[in-house]
Amino acid sequence: MAFRARATPGTVYFLLNYWYMAKKEAAHRLPADLKKVIVSAPKAQAVWEDITPLARNEWICWVETAKHLETRNRRIERVRDELIQGMRRPCCWAGCKHRSK
Protein backbone atom coordinates (compact mmCIF):
# COMPACT_ATOMS: atom_id res chain seq x y z
CA MET A 1 0.00 0.00 0.00
CA ALA A 2 1.43 3.36 -1.01
CA PHE A 3 1.38 6.18 1.49
CA ARG A 4 0.68 9.68 0.27
CA ALA A 5 1.25 12.65 2.52
CA ARG A 6 -1.33 15.36 2.32
CA ALA A 7 -0.07 18.83 2.92
CA THR A 8 -2.46 21.19 4.61
CA PRO A 9 -2.05 24.95 4.15
CA GLY A 10 -0.64 25.16 7.67
CA THR A 11 1.95 22.46 6.96
CA VAL A 12 3.02 24.15 3.74
CA TYR A 13 3.34 27.49 5.55
CA PHE A 14 5.37 25.89 8.33
CA LEU A 15 7.77 24.19 5.90
CA LEU A 16 8.25 27.30 3.77
CA ASN A 17 8.79 29.43 6.88
CA TYR A 18 11.31 26.88 8.27
CA TRP A 19 13.17 26.83 4.95
CA TYR A 20 13.25 30.64 4.81
CA MET A 21 14.51 30.95 8.39
CA ALA A 22 17.16 28.26 7.80
CA LYS A 23 18.51 30.16 4.79
CA LYS A 24 18.26 33.51 6.59
CA GLU A 25 19.96 32.35 9.77
CA ALA A 26 22.81 30.36 8.28
CA ALA A 27 25.24 33.20 8.86
CA HIS A 28 28.51 31.30 8.51
CA ARG A 29 30.33 29.79 5.55
CA LEU A 30 32.11 26.47 5.98
CA PRO A 31 35.81 27.24 6.58
CA ALA A 32 38.33 25.31 4.46
CA ASP A 33 40.06 23.65 7.44
CA LEU A 34 36.76 22.36 8.86
CA LYS A 35 35.59 21.20 5.44
CA LYS A 36 38.84 19.27 4.92
CA VAL A 37 38.40 17.39 8.20
CA ILE A 38 34.72 16.61 7.59
CA VAL A 39 35.33 15.36 4.04
CA SER A 40 38.20 13.15 5.25
CA ALA A 41 35.78 11.08 7.37
CA PRO A 42 32.93 9.56 5.29
CA LYS A 43 30.68 8.94 8.31
CA ALA A 44 31.15 12.52 9.54
CA GLN A 45 30.39 13.80 6.04
CA ALA A 46 27.22 11.70 5.88
CA VAL A 47 25.96 13.14 9.18
CA TRP A 48 26.99 16.66 8.10
CA GLU A 49 24.92 16.35 4.93
CA ASP A 50 21.96 15.00 6.91
CA ILE A 51 21.74 17.76 9.53
CA THR A 52 19.84 21.00 9.01
CA PRO A 53 21.51 24.23 7.82
CA LEU A 54 20.93 25.69 11.29
CA ALA A 55 22.71 22.75 12.93
CA ARG A 56 25.65 23.14 10.52
CA ASN A 57 25.70 26.83 11.39
CA GLU A 58 25.97 25.96 15.10
CA TRP A 59 29.02 23.73 14.47
CA ILE A 60 30.70 26.35 12.28
CA CYS A 61 30.07 29.17 14.75
CA TRP A 62 31.35 27.02 17.62
CA VAL A 63 34.63 26.48 15.74
CA GLU A 64 34.94 30.10 14.66
CA THR A 65 34.36 31.56 18.13
CA ALA A 66 37.56 29.97 19.44
CA LYS A 67 39.96 32.69 20.54
CA HIS A 68 43.17 30.65 20.13
CA LEU A 69 44.41 28.55 17.23
CA GLU A 70 44.94 25.56 19.54
CA THR A 71 41.32 25.75 20.70
CA ARG A 72 40.09 26.05 17.12
CA ASN A 73 42.09 22.99 16.04
CA ARG A 74 40.82 21.01 19.03
CA ARG A 75 37.24 21.98 18.21
CA ILE A 76 37.66 20.98 14.57
CA GLU A 77 38.79 17.52 15.68
CA ARG A 78 35.84 17.33 18.09
CA VAL A 79 33.43 18.23 15.29
CA ARG A 80 34.69 15.27 13.28
CA ASP A 81 34.62 12.89 16.25
CA GLU A 82 31.18 13.97 17.43
CA LEU A 83 29.67 13.82 13.94
CA ILE A 84 31.03 10.29 13.62
CA GLN A 85 29.27 9.47 16.92
CA GLY A 86 26.05 10.85 15.42
CA MET A 87 25.81 14.11 17.36
CA ARG A 88 23.85 16.71 15.45
CA ARG A 89 24.80 19.87 17.39
CA PRO A 90 27.66 20.93 19.69
CA CYS A 91 27.13 19.81 23.26
CA CYS A 92 27.13 22.20 26.20
CA TRP A 93 27.28 25.39 24.17
CA ALA A 94 24.87 28.31 24.39
CA GLY A 95 24.52 28.54 20.63
CA CYS A 96 25.47 30.89 17.85
CA LYS A 97 25.40 34.50 19.03
CA HIS A 98 24.78 35.62 15.44
CA ARG A 99 21.38 33.92 15.27
CA SER A 100 18.33 36.04 15.91
CA LYS A 101 16.24 34.90 18.86
Side-chain angles (χ1 to χ4, degrees), residues 4-34:
R4 289 190 175 175
R6 295 185 187 191
T8 64
T11 303
V12 171
Y13 173 79
F14 171 78
L15 292 174
L16 288 174
N17 189 46
Y18 180 81
W19 175 80
Y20 171 76
M21 293 305 291
K23 290 191 73 71
K24 180 181 167 190
E25 295 199 20
H28 302 286
R29 295 192 185 274
L30 182 61
D33 53 353
L34 180 56

Side-chain angles (χ1 to χ4, degrees), residues 50-68:
D50 186 52
I51 61 179
T52 66
L54 290 176
R56 285 187 219 125
N57 195 60
E58 295 290 314
W59 285 112
I60 295 167
C61 188
W62 181 62
V63 167
E64 292 196 335
T65 56
K67 293 184 176 113
H68 302 285

Side-chain angles (χ1 to χ4, degrees), residues 48-95:
W48 183 262
E49 291 170 358
D50 186 52
I51 61 179
T52 66
L54 290 176
R56 285 187 219 125
N57 195 60
E58 295 290 314
W59 285 112
I60 295 167
C61 188
W62 181 62
V63 167
E64 292 196 335
T65 56
K67 293 184 176 113
H68 302 285
L69 182 60
E70 299 82 22
T71 305
R72 179 185 175 92
N73 291 335
R74 196 169 49 246
R75 286 183 181 182
I76 288 173
E77 294 301 317
R78 268 189 65 189
V79 170
R80 184 198 63 219
D81 295 344
E82 292 181 3
L83 287 172
I84 288 171
Q85 294 171 14
M87 291 184 68
R88 303 180 72 77
R89 290 186 187 256
C91 175
C92 310
W93 184 58

